[in-house]
């Protein structure tokens, strides 16, 4: 089991430098940054900065999208980060949620996500690539042939199919083992149907972790199901609640959902948190005393999860990393 | 007199880290990177990397352009770099030369350069900004109010006028004192006509420097007038050779010019170097023994140059920086 | 009020690098290392290492002694550390406790402590100095004139007198405000008697801090009065229990004291911990919820303490620093 | 062939940090510091500092001696440096020349050099060791069992014998291939006679290197035979000139030698340089154009030299390292 942490761009730079050092020493192998360049700081300068303070940790956006940057810019950026970190750059990719909506733009469709995945990987690899926005084909003459891992964030059946067909893994924003299993199986099945070898396919469960008494844990992580609910709403709208295509446990809580304030995306003072039950909070995150963390992560491991990625947005970052270093990660070594 | 160095993205990362450290210790205050993301590596990850190894040195692209990146992406990127370096980020801006041409695209016109300057500065500062490509106005909620210096690369009369009217300085890719004077006066005059206080306006002369016997110096820097000639050709074409708007000394050598291979932009093996006379090479760069360097930079200072920025593309980077540390920069302290 | 942390040489190097970075960002101004080169690692390489990861934090031994190193070696070492950190090196000095005893040697007497203080400060300053072990006078030709602060660890009346007469401050291994007051007054009074200006004299209270419920706090810090008791025993033996020269509160608990295992100096599994009462533990350290920490440190400040220096030997280092960053230090800014 | 550089403590710290980074990137595997704590800064803080800026380079004194520091202090210092650099610490050892003489003390005899080698290696390894100055045996409880390489600086027959019998290699302050051969054979022969496996025995030739025309090269390195001559004088005095025990080529130039000013040890303005012939200068160092460097180092390699260690005391440090990176070291890969 790999362990990851995810930052928002909000973290003060000196603290970010120190947190990645602490996390690397603690045994975390991945560090992810939200990519939503208006709500938060542009994540790639922060990634480059943090790379200078680590030697083994891998970094990537969680998640970027095909519409924020010209594809040759994205490819050059990704290949440059991989090169200057000696291969420690990976990508999480989605359709573009907050990054697009705050500009009044639409997320990309899944065909575009798939095309971005394949063409940006090819450009990073050094191949000549033609894509829609560039009159001339693009080839990076300085490429060193890096094979960029791209993991696709998905919930809905079609996104999971895309993730399985073209991604190197799937990012699931949830830590409920049965839902992770249900989502992951769809992606892997789609990959196998497409004739791919899925033996090294990555299943990344991303969610908050919080330690201590459950009241405090729930208060600190209530924002997460609210944020995730936004994506669930998209799925339910597209595939139909109670259609059999979306699991009941995922759609239930969305029905009372009243709205979502994008200017407070991912923040704990988002006002639309009331409808979320304790059961949902407990299921979506990893909460409680150390033993409860170990037990839940073991369950995630049992259903095929290859990385548990902690959303470090609930405060107490140094404490959470220290607790994982001392009490949780050693149980997986 | 400030001193700067300019890298291409070609430099191997560990060497780049070491060179900026050597340069900062030597007394160089600025480090610039070419921004042409297909020919070379994306420069901003390298800038973020180098910032981690320095504490006073300022960094920026030399030059970026208004068309490579969405403006909110550019603003978020620039503001993020400024924030994580505690104010050590500046911008050099042009119309977009190689970065656009290799994609089969056109450079931006000067109106767009001016609009980019003003709107990106405003976004970085934290203001709400409306621009063409974004349906909704953009405001970076995390801005700390950084006032981003933007220096505009220019040769032609209209570009110099724009540089004077909206820029914080002008970047002149040449080290001939009389030409620097002629260009700079146009920019400053335009700024004064627009009612601006030009007392802190920056005049940045960018050119190769090379030390030793003149034969070796000329061989190592012949590529520079060739590269610059490309821009001169644009000016001559637009404003007319022998029109009085373009100085004769600048247009003479272009008339024998036969072509230019963009795939070898800025490289010393560019095949179109034959037509360039020794006189032109000596005039455009800073060459010879230490005394000759000091004398020419004093001349540049006398005509108002505020920074001599060395294009470090001729090899012997460590030697040039060491020589400037020991023999040249102390003469200006 | 300044805040410091003290490490044992036991801390794994990568963790030490990260802890000093975290502590500097948290607002700690000093970092101290035990100097007892057989029980723990030699502290000066660790200090030099940590200096490379900080920019404002000051470092020093807490405490060194006049007998472990030739005085010219000590002076060269201290002056070198000051020079390469741009003035961020200070010294805590004692008679030599564990460092001497494990070798079967005696601690230095106070006259030697005083002579070391004055002669090493003079050598660091660049003066020519004659001392007993060197046939020729010693002068460091490369000295930059650094004025090395030397703070003297003391409990007993004579040591406090020495600290006041020749030190730049006194290090008191205790956080009981009334005892700090009683000790500090002796040192300051001796300094005034010697005609010194004591307005900038430093009073450094060094003790563990631990956060949470008192049971856990006491278990984690019970080792500290045991270690300190060793010094107290020296004082009691020399000046006499119930003599009026040693405060009753300090001598009471020593009377039941049965022994001390030097091979476990400063460790929580030292077997001679039973006799120590909760009252003594609570008095000697800073324990409990954040409000209790703030209240006790305010008391220490009121009696003249200029630095509270946390002995970080109780585990949970990252947690303690994070808690001080978030909850304690801001109350003193 | 390994390549090393040797610093004096004179180098300004920021420059030292940059030089070791440049040297590591250039392919130098070792960095040595003079250990003479009064004439120059104490070298171990500088070593610890430089370790933080490198990841593969090994560091050590060239040379330390058995008398400057208590042996348990030396062992703790060395073991600590090895531990915090993950095994990148080695030791060069001599009898104690300038470090002792400036204090009016005598160098150690060879028996003491041998005992220091064996006992300090044992302490670093974690063994319990008894030595003269410590009443109790010493054992470092935190040792990780590091096997410390100790290379012994030698010229005379008895020192070479000691180097062969107890050292992991020999440091020869000279780059004349025939003399290196003559010295090295004595050490290796003594080791074989003592029954040791000498297959991995290190032969380290230490001397200045300088590039360019020979006049400039000689002026810059004339100080070196003068410094070395001091050691040669010791040998000649002890074993007799023209005795057959000391090679004629080494003793010839010493006969005109008039004196030596220890306060200028290792400096190029040492006044006793006149008697040194060009032939001696050329023989003792590595001088001239790149081809001459490659040729001489190949000769050194042919006679068994395992490391060429450049004394970087002639100025132009950045230039020499850059030249070796570009022109010399690649010829040995």
């Amino acid at each position: 089991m790999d362990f990851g942490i995810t930052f928002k761009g909000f973290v003060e730079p000196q603290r970010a430098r120190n947190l990645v050092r602490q996390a690397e020493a603690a045994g975390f192998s991945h560090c992810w940054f939200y990519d939503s360049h208006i709500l938060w700081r542009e994540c790639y300068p922060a990634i480059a900065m943090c790379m200078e303070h680590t030697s083994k940790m891998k970094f990537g956006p969680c998640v970027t999208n095909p519409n924020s940057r010209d594809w040759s810019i994205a490819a050059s950026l990704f290949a440059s980060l991989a090169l200057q970190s000696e291969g420690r750059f990976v990508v999480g990719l989605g359709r573009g949620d907050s990054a697009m909506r705050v500009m009044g733009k639409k997320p990309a469709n899944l065909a575009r996500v798939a095309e971005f995945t394949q063409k940006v990987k090819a450009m990073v690899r050094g191949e000549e690539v033609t894509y829609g926005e560039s009159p001339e084909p693009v080839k990076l003459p300085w490429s060193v042939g890096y094979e960029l891992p791209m993991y696709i964030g998905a919930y809905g059946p079609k996104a999971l199919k895309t993730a399985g067909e073209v991604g190197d893994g799937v990012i699931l924003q949830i830590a409920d083992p049965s839902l992770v299993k249900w989502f992951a199986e769809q992606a892997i099945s789609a990959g196998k149907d497409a004739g791919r070898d899925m033996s090294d396919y990555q299943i990344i469960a991303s969610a908050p972790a919080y330690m201590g008494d459950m009241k405090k844990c729930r208060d600190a992580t209530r924002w997460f199901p609210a944020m995730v609910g936004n994506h669930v709403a998209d799925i339910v709208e597209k595939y139909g609640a109670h259609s059999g295509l979306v699991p009941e446990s995922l759609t239930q809580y969305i029905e009372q959902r009243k709205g979502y304030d994008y200017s407070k995306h991912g923040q704990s003072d988002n006002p639309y948190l009331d409808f979320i039950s304790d059961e949902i909070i407990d299921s979506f995150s990893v909460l409680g005393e150390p033993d409860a963390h170990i037990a839940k992560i073991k369950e995630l491991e049992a259903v095929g999860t290859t990385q548990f990625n902690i959303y470090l947005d609930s405060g107490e970052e140094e404490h959470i990393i220290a607790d994982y270093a001392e009490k949780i990660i050693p149980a997986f070594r």
Side-chain angles (χ1 to χ4, degrees), chain A:
Chain A
M1 177 66 86
D2 287 334
F3 288 85
I5 53 171
T6 297
F7 281 117
K8 276 191 304 205
F10 276 171
V11 176
E12 191 270 323
Q14 188 60 13
R15 195 177 175 206
R17 291 179 187 104
N18 295 346
L19 283 169
V20 294
R21 296 177 63 104
Q22 184 189 358
E24 183 172 86
F28 288 88
S29 61
H30 285 72
C31 176
W32 303 92
F33 285 75
Y34 286 13
D35 178 353
S36 190
H37 67 282
I38 292 173
L39 292 183
W40 304 306
R41 298 204 303 270
E42 175 76 340
C43 67
Y44 303 99
I47 285 175
M49 174 185 86
C50 289
M51 284 171 166
E52 294 305 294
H53 295 278
T54 49
S55 61
K56 290 174 291 184
M57 184 168 259
K58 295 186 177 184
F59 293 86
C62 181
V63 293
T64 188
N65 71 80
N67 286 351
S68 284
R69 293 165 197 83
D70 169 84
W71 292 10
S72 66
I73 288 280
S76 179
L77 176 62
F78 298 165
S80 297
L81 285 163
L83 195 149
Q84 76 189 33
S85 66
E86 299 185 350
R88 298 189 288 121
F89 186 72
V90 299
V91 167
L93 178 67
R95 295 175 50 216
D97 183 37
S98 63
M100 289 293 102
R101 295 192 208 246
V102 290
M103 297 177 72
K105 295 185 175 179
K106 299 267 183 192
N109 63 29
L110 288 167
R112 188 162 165 84
V113 167
E115 190 190 355
F116 181 86
T117 301
Q118 293 172 315
K119 292 196 167 169
V120 168
K121 281 168 74 85
M123 280 191 267
V124 170
R125 198 184 291 125
E127 296 175 12
E128 183 171 288
V129 173
T130 300
Y131 67 96
E133 288 79 2
S134 180
E136 296 289 334
V138 166
K139 183 170 175 11
L140 304 179
W142 45 268
S143 164
V144 294
Y146 182 65
E147 192 58 45
L148 178 68
M150 290 187 79
Y151 309 118
I152 297 177
Y155 287 110
K158 291 193 182 163
L160 290 164
K161 185 164 177 289
T162 300
E165 288 172 351
V166 302
D168 298 291
V170 63
I171 297 177
L172 304 167
Q173 285 195 101
I174 204 156
D176 180 282
S178 64
L179 286 173
V180 166
K181 182 168 188 284
W182 184 78
F183 288 133
E185 281 172 352
Q186 294 177 62
I188 288 170
S189 173
K192 287 181 176 164
D193 289 351
R196 303 181 70 199
D197 173 4
M198 302 300 275
S199 58
D200 196 33
Y201 196 74
Q202 300 295 299
I203 309 293
I204 301 167
S206 300
Y210 212 80
M211 210 151 292
D213 77 76
M214 289 303 291
K215 168 81 174 70
K216 189 179 142 202
C217 288
R218 284 170 187 148
D219 286 349
T221 61
R222 193 177 299 272
W223 62 270
F224 177 64
M227 185 180 76
V228 167
N230 185 55
H231 298 281
V232 176
D234 288 353
I235 297 169
V236 174
E237 190 181 334
K238 189 174 278 175
Y239 301 101
H242 318 295
S243 66
L245 292 171
V246 183
E248 288 297 311
S249 61
L250 196 63
T251 55
Q252 274 172 7
Y253 84 104
I254 211 66
E255 301 193 342
Q256 299 169 302
R257 201 170 170 278
K258 296 155 200 161
Y260 195 78
D261 179 353
Y262 255 95
S263 76
K264 303 215 165 168
H265 185 59
Q267 296 176 38
S268 56
D269 60 344
N270 195 303
Y272 301 97
L273 303 178
D274 296 344
F275 68 97
I276 298 166
S277 70
D278 284 357
E279 193 179 21
I280 285 290
I281 296 172
D282 299 357
S283 154
F284 276 34
S285 298
V286 177
L287 308 177
E289 297 302 327
D291 283 353
H293 285 244
I294 293 171
K296 186 154 189 182
I297 300 169
K298 292 273 185 199
E299 280 186 72
L300 287 167
E301 195 172 36
V303 299
T305 307
T306 58
Q307 180 179 156
F308 174 49
N309 170 26
I310 301 177
Y311 280 162
L312 267 190
D313 295 344
S314 317
E316 309 230 331
E317 283 86 340
E318 288 82 3
H319 293 283
I320 294 170
I321 295 173
D323 283 333
Y324 266 71
E326 295 155 20
K327 299 167 189 165
I328 313 297
I329 294 177
F332 295 84
R333 294 288 175 265

